[in-house]
Amino acid sequence: MAIYEEAGASVTEAQIAVHWREEDYLYPSPRFIGQANAPDPAVRERFSEEHFPECFREYADLLDWDTYWHTTLDTSNPPFWDWFVGGRLNACYNCVDRHLATRANQAAFIWVPEPEADPAQSITYRELYRRVNELAALLRDFAGVQAGDRVTLHLPMVPELPIAMLACARLGAVHSEVFAGFSGTACGGRMADSGSRVLVTMDGYYRDGKALDHKAKADEAVAVAKDQGTEVEKVLVFRRHAGQYMSKAPMAEGRDYFVDDVIAGYRGKLVEPVSMPAEAPLFLMYTSGTTGKPKGAQHSTGGYLAYVAGTSKFYLDIHPEDTYWCFADIGWITGHSYIVYGPLALGTTSVMYEGAPAYPDPGRPWRIAERLGVNIFHTAPTTIRMLRKAGPDEPAKYGYHFKLMVTVGEPIEPEVWRWYHGTVGKREAVVVDTWWMTETGGFMGATLPALEPMKPGSCGPGVLGIYPAIYDEEGKPVEAGSGRAGNICIRNPWPGQLQTIWGQPERFVQTYYAKYCHDTQSKDWHDWPFLCGDGAMQAIDGYYRILGRIDDVINVAGHRLGTKELESAVLTVPEVAEAAAVPVVDETRGRVVEMYVSLKPGYSPSQEIEDKAKAAIEREIGKVARPRNVWVVPDMPKTRSGKIMRRVIAGISNFTDVGDITTLANPEVVEAIRRQVYAEKSARGEAPRPLTEQELEEIKAFGRTE
Ligand code: WTA
């Protein structure tokens, strides 16, 4: 990869090896190994390349099939692979109905509201069955939802969210959940893209001690969808407190309905689960990439469910009797795969928490864990960093015991890893660093918790049945232990993989396969490596170290934000001529966004323009994307061909070297911007801190398209 090659020219391999020091291994306890789902090394052999693709039968056999499949993998139309062909099943049946015989009265979910005085609610498998059936009946008979229809959900972390997902799955309808922190505009754009006529939302919810009005976003979403050609027929509004409306937004007559009113007519109704082909889409999850609008990653019913069930069993070590808490938002892929579908397919108890990590204080997560007897804990480095900063000694005050802990979503610094393992995990828990992405449906790189030792900062080898490879720009393999980084790919198809980008099959091929497929006529899967979009290096022991995205994506607190989306939002401000988004390294959130803007002739910089730019991002994308600073600059640093050199301003924002600027058309502007930004930052008390080698590489490479 060019970006790392250039680094190699000035830094020797030996120097890199010194900076990226190899960490020591840590091993699981005999007690953990004694109870693990995968204690036998033979599992590696069963999933070795020579057993591909039949090895995945083991995952598919964790499910109940209405019709067993005849072909494990059909590769006749590359790269549109079909798994478990001929099979039929229902995802809701597999997550709910089939557990009734053995564990009807066990909690499927335990939901913890943010206000601490409100009691946690247990939803047993029997209760879940009842609520899912009633909502499925309502969706079908009141909202006219049928198999194959798309239904958009814009729900916060409340039980109604998994209930709505499962109700859609029961009908064979395709759910498309939009993260509740995203704006109405973002939701509306996704509704239009997927052609959803029904929106399921909520009046409000609690976050960081505040009651948020959420229904207002639905009105915006409907208007935006209409602008883009999709008429939303029904908006189904759950009330956070039944019978009590917490939003100020009016209910539109004939369009908006309170679910708690309407559902009274569906009391006790049962809906037969619709038997779907294995390759029928189960859901869409929108995600950001290099260019254009967010893409709807389409996930299948059979392959996806088998994959998340299998990886939940072997990597999360979920047993039905565990109490498992994934502290992520169901609005993202992690929540879909590892709060809802994987854990429920295995019949365990999955904890959901409504609110912010440190509310009302940083002891909250540990109180929840203690009270509920959580023994598997799963969260992201951002949350870990935040809890470590706010309450480094809090975990020791609580008497919970974790057997296993997961980190996901961003690279984790070894220091932070050690606090997680030592202080949160009390040295008892195995830490599993799981690397994957929206498109992969489930884990790609991780250690098998009883079999492969942990190494802080590395996710581990490819998971069972996944054969990764790192390639350079020319497609040559980058060897393990070479100290060089490249583009990490997955050489083989796997059941959890996205099937396509909703409505854009060419973009699917282009985005994930164009770079390394040298023979587009080939019917052999070996010719179709899947480009993951991350830079990575592999140590001699086979463990991967993930360096971060190679596309124009800024990973803010685990949220994938496309620079193009951020920039397009700011360009809606009438005074703005040009906009460029760059990542700034942040102690807690990993990265935050800074925006650079230049103005159209006749306008001069003002606080008002900065505020408008921030407001535009909140409106178009959501508060999560709000930039830390907006710098109104006289001009952007540009190449002679007019491209904005994002790495130069990224360097300034991070107080690092801006690199070679001799190829700029306007090199003189760099010094002016630097002076302006440094002065402002020091006035705001934003002090520089030395970046790690890895962070430096990322900033140097940011936005480089050549
Ligand atoms: C990053 C989240 C390092 C990576 C599941 C990837 C990670 C992007 C890890 C996907 C990890 C995820 N270590 N980086 N363990 N897990 N990432 O689609 O850059 O929201 O490409 O899926 O997060 O983000 P997404």
Side-chain angles (χ1 to χ4, degrees):
M1 176 164 41
I3 55 183
Y4 296 106
E5 270 166 14
E6 186 176 288
S10 52
V11 182
T12 68
E13 278 178 23
Q15 277 171 306
I16 290 179
V18 171
H19 286 295
W20 295 352
R21 184 169 71 85
E22 276 297 290
E23 299 283 335
D24 293 332
Y25 288 132
L26 288 94
Y27 294 86
S29 65
R31 181 154 163 221
F32 178 85
I33 296 169
Q35 61 81 62
N37 280 329
D40 180 357
V43 70
R44 272 276 165 212
E45 171 55 28
R46 295 204 300 279
F47 281 85
S48 68
E49 201 162 338
E50 72 201 62
H51 295 129
F52 179 87
E54 292 308 316
C55 54
F56 284 114
R57 183 180 293 270
E58 192 167 331
Y59 284 1
D61 285 346
L62 296 171
L63 306 180
D64 282 4
W65 295 81
D66 304 330
T67 310
Y68 203 66
W69 34 277
H70 52 71
T71 305
T72 306
L73 172 62
D74 175 355
T75 59
S76 59
N77 182 27
F80 301 90
W81 323 115
D82 279 333
W83 284 90
F84 312 127
V85 186
R88 299 187 78 95
L89 77 167
N90 182 277
C92 177
Y93 176 88
N94 273 281
C95 291
V96 186
D97 305 42
R98 67 171 177 153
H99 302 311
L100 295 179
T102 47
R103 51 182 71 97
N105 291 322
Q106 177 195 311
F109 287 109
I110 302 176
W111 178 62
V112 182
E114 188 186 76
E116 205 166 3
D118 296 358
Q121 293 176 19
S122 214
I123 299 162
T124 62
Y125 275 97
R126 187 196 305 282
E127 171 79 357
L128 183 64
Y129 175 73
R130 188 186 66 81
R131 291 178 68 177
V132 167
N133 269 283
E134 290 177 356
L135 186 62
L138 185 155
L139 285 172
R140 185 187 63 189
D141 300 342
F142 182 73
V145 173
Q146 296 178 357
D149 289 351
R150 279 77 57 210
V151 176
T152 297
L153 317 176
H154 196 201
L155 287 165
M157 281 295 285
V158 292
E160 287 78 1
L161 171 49
I163 288 169
M165 290 162 65
L166 292 163
C168 289
R170 195 166 189 85
L171 298 171
V174 181
H175 58 76
S176 171
E177 154 74 2
V178 178
F179 172 56
F182 272 178
S183 66
T185 306
C187 179
R190 287 156 172 79
M191 289 198 79
D193 187 80
S194 61
S196 295
R197 294 172 299 106
V198 176
L199 172 64
V200 184
T201 186
M202 188 165 246
D203 59 345
Y205 60 102
Y206 296 94
R207 180 93 196 165
D208 244 340
K210 290 190 278 293
L212 304 182
D213 186 333
H214 190 62
K215 162 61 170 65
K217 291 183 176 178
D219 301 325
E220 237 175 279
V222 171
V224 167
K226 188 173 179 179
D227 262 9
Q228 299 181 19
T230 295
E231 195 76 48
V232 177
E233 290 163 15
K234 283 208 167 56
V235 178
L236 304 173
V237 183
F238 282 104
R239 279 183 283 198
R240 173 69 176 68
H241 304 280
Q244 208 182 310
Y245 190 44
M246 71 188 270
S247 167
K248 291 204 174 60
M251 295 287 281
E253 176 90 38
R255 187 199 74 188
D256 301 354
Y257 299 88
F258 290 128
V259 181
D260 52 303
D261 286 346
V262 181
I263 207 146
Y266 297 89
R267 237 187 112 82
K269 263 242 185 261
L270 294 182
V271 172
E272 194 58 31
V274 178
S275 190
M276 299 299 289
E279 62 271 31
L282 178 62
F283 68 87
L284 306 180
M285 170 64 64
Y286 281 84
T287 191
S288 297
T290 304
T291 51
K293 290 188 304 185
K295 3 185 228 282
Q298 176 184 318
H299 284 286
S300 72
T301 305
Y304 170 82
L305 197 63
Y307 195 72
V308 297
T311 48
S312 293
K313 181 170 179 187
F314 290 141
Y315 287 90
L316 303 178
D317 200 49
I318 287 179
H319 302 57
E321 57 277 16
D322 288 324
T323 300
Y324 162 81
W325 181 16
C326 174
F327 192 176
D329 197 292
I330 298 177
W332 301 116
I333 192 70
T334 300
H336 275 53
S337 300
Y338 298 115
I339 297 178
V340 183
Y341 285 114
L344 260 54
L346 299 179
T348 197
T349 299
S350 182
V351 175
M352 283 179 69
Y353 170 55
E354 176 180 34
Y359 183 81
D361 59 71
R364 183 71 188 278
W366 322 126
R367 282 197 293 283
I368 294 173
E370 179 185 69
R371 180 165 303 176
L372 302 182
V374 172
N375 67 340
I376 307 176
F377 183 69
H378 186 158
T379 196
T382 290
T383 307
I384 304 168
R385 286 186 216 109
M386 186 220 251
L387 293 167
R388 173 176 181 244
K389 197 166 157 201
D393 307 320
E394 286 300 307
K397 299 179 190 163
Y398 298 94
Y400 63 83
H401 294 280
F402 296 151
K403 67 167 181 177
L404 185 140
M405 302 193 306
V406 185
T407 165
V408 60
E410 307 152 65
I412 184 166
E413 301 78 1
E415 267 317 295
V416 177
W417 191 100
R418 276 188 278 274
W419 182 78
Y420 194 40
H421 176 256
T423 304
V424 178
K426 305 176 177 184
R427 298 189 183 280
E428 302 165 333
V430 183
V431 174
V432 186
D433 183 346
T434 60
W435 163 73
W436 58 298
M437 54 218 50
T438 302
E439 293 88 337
T440 66
F443 306 146
M444 291 292 104
T447 48
L448 272 165
L451 292 170
E452 292 157 353
M454 309 163 241
K455 190 163 80 172
S458 297
C459 63
V463 301
L464 296 169
I466 298 296
Y467 323 117
I470 300 177
Y471 297 118
D472 68 13
E473 283 302 301
E474 280 70 54
K476 286 202 239 19
V478 175
E479 299 303 329
S482 66
R484 286 172 55 230
N487 296 318
I488 187 162
C489 296
I490 309 299
R491 290 192 290 110
N492 60 302
W494 68 98
Q497 185 181 356
L498 81 165
Q499 298 175 289
T500 186
I501 295 172
W502 178 261
Q504 302 180 72
E506 321 75 38
R507 192 174 170 201
F508 168 73
V509 180
Q510 182 62 32
T511 307
Y512 304 106
Y513 294 100
K515 193 167 178 82
Y516 291 119
C517 178
H518 301 303
D519 175 9
T520 53
Q521 296 312 306
S522 171
K523 299 277 182 209
D524 182 350
W525 63 258
H526 293 87
D527 292 325
W528 294 86
F530 177 88
L531 179 72
C532 295
D534 279 323
M537 50 199 300
Q538 190 178 28
I540 198 75
D541 59 7
Y543 280 32
Y544 293 98
R545 181 155 189 161
I546 304 299
L547 307 177
R549 302 286 312 177
I550 50 172
D551 53 17
D552 296 341
V553 163
I554 305 180
N555 190 335
V556 178
H559 305 298
R560 244 168 100 171
L561 304 173
T563 50
K564 285 284 185 314
E565 293 161 69
L566 294 158
E567 292 163 4
S568 311
V570 171
L571 286 169
T572 64
V573 177
E575 294 89 339
V576 171
E578 288 174 310
V582 297
V584 177
V585 174
D586 179 79
E587 286 304 331
T588 309
R589 292 161 66 79
R591 304 289 176 271
V592 293
V593 176
E594 282 194 1
M595 290 294 317
Y596 284 77
V597 302
S598 66
L599 303 179
K600 291 181 189 158
Y603 293 103
S604 44
S606 68
Q607 184 62 43
E608 193 197 334
I609 294 176
E610 286 178 32
D611 293 344
K612 278 195 197 169
K614 287 185 179 171
I617 289 181
E618 278 187 31
R619 184 184 67 238
E620 300 285 322
I621 305 171
K623 277 211 170 63
V624 277
R626 191 181 164 87
R628 169 177 290 166
N629 293 307
V630 175
W631 307 117
V632 181
V633 294
D635 194 9
M636 299 280 188
K638 291 198 194 115
T639 62
R640 294 202 178 90
S641 60
K643 273 197 256 167
I644 300 176
M645 291 289 269
R646 286 176 179 73
R647 67 170 170 83
V648 172
I649 44 184
I652 294 175
S653 276
N654 286 281
F655 299 104
T656 62
D657 182 16
V658 294
D660 180 13
I661 55 169
T662 55
T663 58
L664 289 188
N666 53 352
E668 68 290 346
V669 75
V670 176
E671 195 41 42
I673 297 175
R674 194 213 314 258
R675 253 191 252 121
Q676 174 190 349
V677 170
Y678 278 24
E680 280 287 321
K681 278 189 185 251
S682 87
R684 293 174 197 190
E686 290 176 31
R689 80 131 162 90
L691 301 192
T692 66
E693 191 72 9
Q694 190 169 322
E695 290 163 348
L696 270 173
E697 289 299 319
E698 181 192 318
I699 299 303
K700 260 207 265 179
F702 187 72
R704 197 170 284 193
T705 45
E706 66 267 36

